[in-house]
Amino acid sequence: ENVDWKAGQHGIFKFEDKKVNGKKFRAFSVASIKAENKIIFSTRISDEPSDFKKYLRTMNIGDKLKMTGPFGGFYIKDYEKPMAMIAGGVGIPPIRALLKEIESSGKKPRAVEVLYMDSKEEYAYKEYLESLDKKYEYINIHFISDRRRFNKVLNEFTTKYKNDANYFISGTPNMIKG
């Protein structure tokens, strides 16, 4: 209740009632928009997770997780420009939120190109993303697991729009740096 955020922002999440060994908090992008009336975030949990992620995996309805925030300037400021949304692996949650925001706003950007790169081909929100691709002619979703294809699609967008576009990049620090 009484939490307000812009699509694309993130929060800092922490357990207050559990003793967590290692890193005691995590930053997660909010994957939902205010109109959905819930806070959604996503993460990948490995076979040997940290204490924090072990607790996430075993949460039940009613268990508490504290969120500080939301924070950040990762949100749409200009609907007039074309948009390239680049997500690597678990970088898709803020992109989902941005797409939900576009859909709920009724605004129609010139073009929205979503490049969702995941070498494991484990695409979160795949059904939702595919439905957008079918429903809106200006939204194109690319599920990509190959670097060459990623570069090809991105080069086509940057050649067409150059610096007259908004670029949103979300993923691991190494992916963003690359």
Side-chain angles (χ1 to χ4, degrees), residues 57-73:
R57 182 186 283 163
T58 61
M59 286 184 76
N60 294 306
I61 293 173
D63 288 352
K64 296 191 184 224
L65 184 65
K66 180 182 179 182
M67 182 183 90
T68 305
F71 307 105

Side-chain angles (χ1 to χ4, degrees), residues 37-133:
N37 203 31
K38 59 186 168 187
I39 295 173
I40 299 171
F41 67 88
S42 302
T43 189
R44 192 173 268 159
I45 301 177
S46 68
D47 291 335
E48 295 183 28
S50 65
D51 263 15
F52 189 92
K53 290 192 176 184
K54 282 179 192 173
Y55 287 134
L56 278 180
R57 182 186 283 163
T58 61
M59 286 184 76
N60 294 306
I61 293 173
D63 288 352
K64 296 191 184 224
L65 184 65
K66 180 182 179 182
M67 182 183 90
T68 305
F71 307 105
F74 193 90
Y75 53 86
I76 299 170
K77 298 167 187 81
D78 183 353
Y79 281 84
E80 300 299 316
K81 288 186 174 185
M83 299 176 207
M85 299 182 181
I86 302 164
V90 294
I92 196 64
I95 303 300
R96 179 204 183 266
L98 295 177
L99 292 167
K100 281 281 190 184
E101 183 66 26
I102 290 169
E103 193 173 29
S104 72
S105 74
K107 296 177 182 174
K108 183 181 172 186
R110 281 195 291 166
V112 178
E113 210 73 23
V114 178
L115 289 75
Y116 187 178
M117 178 79 170
D118 192 318
S119 59
K120 295 179 181 181
E121 297 185 13
E122 296 174 352
Y123 302 106
Y125 310 113
K126 188 172 184 181
E127 285 181 21
Y128 171 67
L129 297 170
E130 288 173 330
S131 75
L132 292 178
D133 191 60

Side-chain angles (χ1 to χ4, degrees), residues 113 115 142 149-162 167:
E113 210 73 23
L115 289 75
H142 304 271
R149 181 160 173 255
F150 173 84
N151 289 336
K152 180 182 183 290
V153 175
L154 184 58
N155 285 336
E156 287 171 2
F157 184 89
T158 57
T159 299
K160 184 173 183 177
Y161 296 111
K162 300 183 178 25
Y167 293 87

Side-chain angles (χ1 to χ4, degrees), residues 10-23:
H10 70 279
I12 306 297
F13 292 82
K14 179 180 176 182
F15 289 99
E16 291 192 316
D17 61 344
K18 302 206 183 303
K19 179 161 174 33
V20 178
N21 293 319
K23 193 172 175 184

